[in-house]
Amino acid sequence: MGSGQPRGRGGGRPTLEEVAVRAGVGRGTVSRVINGSPRVSAHTRAAVEEAVAELGYVPNTAARALAANRTDSIAVVVPEPESRFFSEPYFSDIIHGVGSALADTDMQLLLTFAGGDRERRSLAQYLSAHRVDGVLLVSVHADDPLPDLLQQLEIPAVISGRRSADEPLASVDSDNFAGARAAVDHLLARGRRTIATITGRLDVYGAQRRLDGYVDGLTEAGLPVSADLMAHGDFTEDGGRRAMADLLDRRPDLDAVFAGSDVMAAGARQVLREAGRRIPDDVALVGFDDSAIARHMDPPLTSVRQPIAEMGRTMTNVLLAEIADTRPAAARRLGRQQIVLPTELVCRESS
């Protein structure tokens, strides 16, 4: 009795040559049919497809990728410590979006961290060997050398959040400026006038744009922009705690806080509670991301929703298009996309 597995003449898997003999065509014609080329007549295509079905031929995707100088894999590179990746919902939401965009492809996903110099050197060697077809860069700081390395190597890459206004790589970002502006406008509409902010690391362009939106909202309302009401965090809960304590020392009269992330807002809330400040009666609190943290805080946190999973999906689709683009590198650079997705303020009890 047979095993049910297709066998070629030598007892192994059927080969491309055997399909060609069965269909009465050349090997190149079979290859064109399998790869979806339009340069094949309907009659020939039918003959090849019939031979493929009869023999049970399965294309060797690894060999096809090698022949096309492709690895059929992409890397998600996070230039942050692993501890931050696993503590912030932002990263898991991005990965969820990337995974959903790759679900109907044959692409494999490699996740790698590059939070230290040693990891960066190791990653640079890996990328220099062209072991992936493209790279998604998530949470990149202004002085990070990785984007420039990718450009030098001419590896297709998409960045999550630009490093500056003139980012040369393709990028996908949320509208950080408009999101922050909406948060400040909301607090002003609630009658708050001494509005503080806790920023993320300002070498991250998105954090700088959130600060710009905060400043713009106060300026438009005719309120002074005071350095005493600005504290710098680092997108961590502990950073939010330290910044909030600093703000209360400097400006005990503050009546609202806009935090540049939900995680920092959670840290700020702890300090406000310990200082006997009621939320929102004494101090209104708004975050950014609209993560699960916002919904589960007490009171639930008003937050700026950025479509993080959609950002991951969009980044991946842009990268797949870049990988498929066979034009010279100079031509590809001219058409690189800079996509900005809208944000939305979600109002809850904290404000």
Side-chain angles (χ1 to χ4, degrees):
M1 291 191 53
S3 66
Q5 295 294 320
R7 297 287 181 192
R9 287 178 185 167
R13 287 166 54 116
T15 66
L16 197 71
E17 288 79 5
E18 287 171 334
V19 173
V21 169
R22 175 68 65 97
V25 298
R27 187 180 186 281
T29 301
V30 174
S31 181
R32 282 194 292 276
V33 170
I34 289 169
N35 287 300
S37 170
R39 296 184 299 118
V40 182
S41 71
H43 175 76
T44 300
R45 185 180 304 281
V48 171
E49 288 173 350
E50 185 178 346
V52 165
E54 287 175 359
L55 290 171
Y57 173 75
V58 178
N60 185 336
T61 54
R64 284 166 57 194
L66 189 63
N69 198 26
R70 291 266 301 274
T71 65
D72 280 345
S73 62
I74 65 171
V76 173
V77 176
V78 182
E80 299 282 358
E82 288 185 45
S83 57
R84 189 181 165 206
F85 178 88
F86 289 108
S87 66
E88 289 191 34
Y90 173 86
F91 294 106
S92 58
D93 287 346
I94 283 275
I95 297 299
H96 176 73
V98 172
S100 68
L102 291 178
D104 294 330
T105 74
D106 291 327
M107 284 285 185
Q108 299 298 308
L109 181 62
L110 170 73
L111 174 62
T112 185
F113 303 99
D117 291 340
R118 185 168 170 273
E119 291 170 312
R120 286 164 197 263
R121 285 194 298 272
S122 175
L123 177 62
Q125 290 178 340
Y126 186 85
L127 295 175
S128 296
H130 289 267
R131 292 181 179 172
V132 293
D133 294 329
V135 173
L136 297 172
L137 275 168
V138 181
S139 186
V140 179
H141 301 274
D143 59 351
D144 197 312
L146 281 173
D148 295 330
L149 172 67
L150 292 167
Q151 278 201 284
Q152 291 166 17
L153 296 173
E154 296 186 355
I155 295 175
V158 181
I159 197 167
S160 166
R162 294 172 289 174
R163 290 168 293 167
S164 68
D166 54 356
E167 175 61 60
L169 290 178
S171 71
V172 177
D173 207 349
S174 63
D175 196 336
N176 294 290
F177 180 90
R181 176 64 196 267
V184 172
D185 288 348
H186 167 73
L187 290 168
L188 291 167
R190 290 287 194 272
R192 310 294 169 147
R193 287 297 178 269
T194 311
I195 303 171
T197 188
I198 299 173
T199 76
R201 288 182 54 172
L202 295 181
D203 61 345
V204 174
Y205 185 64
Q208 179 62 58
R209 292 300 287 157
R210 289 173 200 177
L211 177 58
D212 293 343
Y214 161 83
V215 169
D216 189 71
L218 293 182
T219 303
E220 189 72 20
L223 294 174
V225 177
S226 170
D228 282 351
L229 288 169
M230 298 179 195
H232 301 310
D234 55 4
F235 290 118
T236 69
E237 188 171 352
D238 191 47
R241 278 193 292 267
R242 289 195 304 269
M244 191 68 249
D246 189 23
L247 285 168
L248 284 178
D249 282 344
R250 283 190 265 149
R251 293 297 301 264
D253 60 325
L254 63 82
D255 60 9
V257 178
F258 164 55
S261 77
D262 292 346
V263 175
M264 291 193 297
R269 183 204 62 144
Q270 226 176 342
V271 172
L272 288 168
R273 281 259 173 95
E274 289 164 2
R277 306 296 178 94
R278 296 168 300 163
I279 302 171
D281 304 42
D282 302 323
V283 180
L285 184 61
V286 177
F288 203 107
D289 286 336
D290 191 37
S291 62
I293 290 170
R295 296 187 292 278
H296 296 141
M297 272 176 61
D298 178 25
L301 181 69
T302 295
S303 184
V304 178
R305 176 181 295 163
Q306 53 175 341
I308 303 172
E310 180 61 27
M311 286 169 64
R313 278 191 295 274
T314 305
M315 286 174 68
T316 307
N317 289 330
V318 170
L319 182 63
L320 292 174
E322 285 225 357
I323 291 170
D325 192 340
T326 57
R327 293 178 300 164
R332 293 201 306 271
R333 277 195 291 271
L334 290 174
R336 281 180 176 157
Q337 298 185 66
Q338 308 290 334
I339 297 172
V340 178
L341 300 176
T343 52
E344 174 194 357
L345 185 71
V346 179
C347 297
R348 298 190 179 93
E349 286 87 338
S350 71
S351 62

